[in-house]
Amino acid sequence: MNNFFDHIDHFYKLNEESRQAIEKVLHQQSFSKNTLLATEGKVCHHMYFVEKGCVRGYYNLDGKEVTYWFGFEYSFVTSFYSFISRKPAFENIQLIEDCTVLAISYDDLQKLYDKYPEVERLVRIINENYYVRLEERFVAAQFKTAKERYAGLLDFSPHILQRMPLGYIASYLGISQETLSRIRGKI
Amino acid sequence: MNNFFDHIDHFYKLNEESRQAIEKVLHQQSFSKNTLLATEGKVCHHMYFVEKGCVRGYYNLDGKEVTYWFGFEYSFVTSFYSFISRKPAFENIQLIEDCTVLAISYDDLQKLYDKYPEVERLVRIINENYYVRLEERFVAAQFKTAKERYAGLLDFSPHILQRMPLGYIASYLGISQETLSRIRGKI
DNA sequence: CCTTTCTTTTGACATATGTCAAAAAGAGAA
DNA sequence: TTCTCTTTTTGACATATGTCAAAAGAAAGG
C-alpha cells in the first residue's frame, strides 16, 4: 500500500483526508499466473495497481493474439476502454507472473471523484501522463522500423526482455518472432 | 461558441456557473492557412478548439515530416505533451485551411480546475475519450496492414480524403504516398 | 542421466512496402 | 486556350518483414 502512495505522489500530492478515503476502498488481492484481470466480451469493473508481478494486455485480432501492452510493478492496469465506457472489453489482460495488486471498483472511484475533487485531479493527471506515453508508442509503431523499436525497448524497458517470453515481445513490437530473433542476432 | 458547448455536453453537462466561467476565458481567434498553432522547440501554452477549418500535427523524424494527426471542426488541438508538461514541444501543428478556433491558456485552465471541479471532471472525461481513440489508432498502426488502415479511414473518416492532400494522408497511415496511390487504385 | 516439452534460432522463399524517377493528370493564371 | 506549377499515378527495382518448416537449445520431470 505504501508503494502505491509513494508512486502517486509523483503525479499529485494528496492531502491526508483523500489519501485515507482511497485507502478504504483499495483492496489488496493476489492472483496466480495466467489469471485474467480483464476478459474480452466482459465489462471490466476494476482498476488495478500492480504491487508485485507482471501482466500483458492482448487482443484477438483476426484469430491471432496480439500483445499491445505490458504492465509491471507500479503500473495501473485495466481494460481502459471498458472501464470508462462500461461496455464489454475487446481485449484480455493476463497475468504473466503471480501477482499482488490493489483493486478499486468503478463505483468506488466515482464516489471518490464526487467527494474528493483532489482524487479526480490525481486521476486526470495520471491519465494525461499515460496519454503522452501512448502517443510516443504510437509514433514509434507508425514511423519507426522494427530495428529502431527494438533498440528503443533495449534503452528504455530492458526489464521486459528479462521477464517476458520472446513471442510476446515480438508482438508488442509489431513484428514476427522470427524477425525479432534475427534483429537480436544483429543480422 | 455555441458549437463548443453543444459539443462538450456530449462528455459532461456543466452547470451554468462553470459554463460562464469557461466562456469568460475562451478567446475566439482566426488564423490563416499554414499558421502554426504549436511549434517544435517551443512550449505550447494554449489548448484550441476548432470551430471552422482543419489542421494537422506532424513531427520532424530523421529529417522527414511525419503526419500523426488531423483535426477538424469540433476537435481539441494542442501539443498535448508540451501543454501538460510545460516543456518544449516535439511536434508542429499547422493549419491546412484558414481556421477559427477558441483558445484557452494553460493558466486559465488551471484556475478553472481550482475553482470549478466540474471543469476538471469534464476535462478528465474528454481526456479519457481521446485516450481510447488513440489506443484504437495504435492497435491499427501496429497490427493492421496498410490496406486495412486505409479501409478504416474510408469507413470512419472519409472527410479526411476530401480535405487533406494525399501525401499527408499517406504519412498519417504510415505508408508512402506511392503505396497509398496503389492501394486506392485497388491494386 | 535421459526424455519430454517448450522456446528460440535458422533457412528458404513469398509478399508488402519503400525508393527513385518519370509520366500523367489536374488546377490556376494569363 | 496555353503555359506553368502542383499533385497524383505508374514503372522498375531494392529491401524489410512475414510465413512455414525444421533444427537447435533450454527447462522440467522422472
Side-chain angles (χ1 to χ4, degrees), chain B residues 1 4 26 49 72-73 98 138 147 151 155 166 178 187:
Chain B
M1 201 72 105
F4 172 76
L26 270 186
F49 176 82
F72 294 87
E73 287 79 6
D98 295 346
F138 170 72
K147 211 173 293 186
D155 280 357
L166 208 61
E178 294 91 331
I187 281 171

Side-chain angles (χ1 to χ4, degrees), chain B residues 129-144:
Chain B
N129 278 272
Y130 271 65
Y131 185 92
V132 168
R133 280 192 238 171
L134 183 57
E135 238 181 5
E136 274 169 33
R137 278 198 69 207
F138 170 72
V139 171
Q142 182 97 288
F143 303 111
K144 303 218 165 179

Side-chain angles (χ1 to χ4, degrees), chain A:
Chain A
M1 200 72 103
N2 285 335
N3 281 347
F4 173 75
F5 286 107
D6 288 351
H7 180 68
I8 63 176
D9 266 3
H10 296 138
F11 296 103
Y12 186 74
K13 293 207 192 300
L14 295 173
N15 63 31
E16 197 50 33
E17 200 192 353
S18 318
R19 180 181 286 239
Q20 285 177 6
I22 293 179
E23 201 158 349
K24 261 191 207 136
V25 294
L26 269 186
H27 297 289
Q28 192 177 53
Q29 299 182 292
S30 292
F31 297 105
S32 58
K33 193 170 161 168
N34 289 323
T35 305
L36 295 182
L37 288 184
T39 309
E40 193 181 342
K42 290 189 192 166
V43 175
C44 182
H45 295 291
H46 291 82
M47 168 76 75
Y48 301 93
F49 176 82
V50 180
E51 286 200 313
K52 186 80 200 73
C54 61
V55 310
R56 70 161 182 142
Y58 67 96
Y59 288 88
N60 282 305
L61 223 66
D62 317 317
K64 272 189 204 165
E65 275 190 9
V66 299
T67 297
Y68 70 96
W69 189 76
F70 295 130
F72 294 87
E73 287 80 6
Y74 304 103
S75 294
F76 289 96
V77 174
T78 188
S79 161
F80 199 74
Y81 163 76
S82 173
F83 186 75
I84 70 158
S85 70
R86 323 306 301 132
K87 292 181 193 160
F90 292 111
E91 78 268 46
N92 300 282
I93 297 180
Q94 176 194 32
L95 271 58
I96 300 301
E97 302 173 354
D98 295 347
C99 283
T100 332
V101 301
L102 301 174
I104 184 173
S105 76
Y106 179 84
D107 293 336
D108 282 339
L109 185 58
Q110 306 309 310
K111 282 178 207 155
L112 286 180
Y113 288 161
D114 286 335
K115 232 172 158 180
Y116 307 94
E118 272 212 341
V119 175
E120 189 147 22
R121 168 158 309 178
L122 171 71
V123 172
R124 172 183 63 78
I125 292 173
I126 292 175
N127 284 346
E128 287 174 350
N129 278 270
Y130 271 65
Y131 185 93
V132 168
R133 280 192 237 172
L134 183 57
E135 239 181 5
E136 275 170 33
R137 278 198 69 207
F138 170 73
V139 171
Q142 182 96 288
F143 303 111
K144 303 217 165 180
T145 65
K147 210 173 292 184
E148 289 170 326
R149 299 199 296 277
Y150 176 69
L153 193 77
L154 275 184
D155 280 357
F156 299 110
S157 322
H159 55 285
I160 292 182
L161 275 301
Q162 262 58 127
R163 292 169 71 182
M164 293 286 168
L166 207 63
Y168 294 163
I169 295 173
S171 179
Y172 176 82
L173 291 172
I175 56 180
S176 71
Q177 175 168 334
E178 293 91 332
T179 297
L180 176 56
S181 176
R182 290 184 174 105
I183 289 174
R184 296 215 302 171
K186 307 272 176 199
I187 282 171

Side-chain angles (χ1 to χ4, degrees), chain B residues 147-172:
Chain B
K147 211 173 293 186
E148 289 170 326
R149 299 198 297 276
Y150 176 69
L153 193 77
L154 274 185
D155 280 357
F156 299 111
S157 322
H159 55 285
I160 292 182
L161 274 300
Q162 261 60 121
R163 293 169 72 182
M164 293 287 168
L166 208 61
Y168 294 163
I169 295 174
S171 178
Y172 176 81

Side-chain angles (χ1 to χ4, degrees), chain B residues 47-48 54 62 95 110 133 136 140 151 173:
Chain B
M47 168 76 76
Y48 302 93
C54 60
D62 317 317
L95 271 57
Q110 307 309 309
R133 280 192 238 171
E136 274 169 33
L173 291 172

Side-chain angles (χ1 to χ4, degrees), chain B:
Chain B
M1 201 72 105
N2 285 334
N3 281 348
F4 172 76
F5 286 107
D6 288 349
H7 180 68
I8 63 175
D9 267 2
H10 296 139
F11 296 104
Y12 186 74
K13 292 206 193 301
L14 295 172
N15 64 31
E16 197 50 33
E17 200 193 352
S18 317
R19 180 183 285 238
Q20 285 177 6
I22 293 178
E23 201 159 351
K24 261 191 207 135
V25 294
L26 270 186
H27 296 289
Q28 192 177 54
Q29 299 182 293
S30 292
F31 297 104
S32 58
K33 192 170 163 170
N34 289 323
T35 305
L36 295 182
L37 290 183
T39 308
E40 193 180 343
K42 291 190 192 166
V43 176
C44 182
H45 296 289
H46 291 83
M47 168 76 76
Y48 302 93
F49 176 82
V50 180
E51 286 200 313
K52 186 79 200 73
C54 60
V55 311
R56 69 161 182 144
Y58 68 96
Y59 288 87
N60 283 305
L61 223 66
D62 317 317
K64 272 189 204 166
E65 275 189 10
V66 299
T67 297
Y68 69 97
W69 188 76
F70 295 130
F72 294 87
E73 287 79 6
Y74 305 103
S75 295
F76 289 96
V77 174
T78 188
S79 163
F80 198 73
Y81 162 76
S82 173
F83 186 74
I84 70 158
S85 70
R86 322 306 302 133
K87 292 181 192 159
F90 292 110
E91 79 268 46
N92 300 283
I93 297 180
Q94 175 194 31
L95 271 57
I96 300 301
E97 301 174 356
D98 295 346
C99 284
T100 334
V101 300
L102 301 174
I104 184 173
S105 76
Y106 180 83
D107 293 336
D108 283 339
L109 185 58
Q110 307 309 309
K111 282 178 206 156
L112 287 179
Y113 289 160
D114 287 335
K115 232 173 159 179
Y116 307 95
E118 272 212 340
V119 175
E120 189 146 22
R121 167 157 311 177
L122 171 70
V123 172
R124 172 183 63 79
I125 292 173
I126 292 175
N127 284 346
E128 287 175 349
N129 278 272
Y130 271 65
Y131 185 92
V132 168
R133 280 192 238 171
L134 183 57
E135 238 181 5
E136 274 169 33
R137 278 198 69 207
F138 170 72
V139 171
Q142 182 97 288
F143 303 111
K144 303 218 165 179
T145 64
K147 211 173 293 186
E148 289 170 326
R149 299 198 297 276
Y150 176 69
L153 193 77
L154 274 185
D155 280 357
F156 299 111
S157 322
H159 55 285
I160 292 182
L161 274 300
Q162 261 60 121
R163 293 169 72 182
M164 293 287 168
L166 208 61
Y168 294 163
I169 295 174
S171 178
Y172 176 81
L173 291 172
I175 55 181
S176 71
Q177 175 167 335
E178 294 91 331
T179 296
L180 175 55
S181 175
R182 290 184 175 104
I183 288 174
R184 296 215 300 172
K186 306 272 177 199
I187 281 171

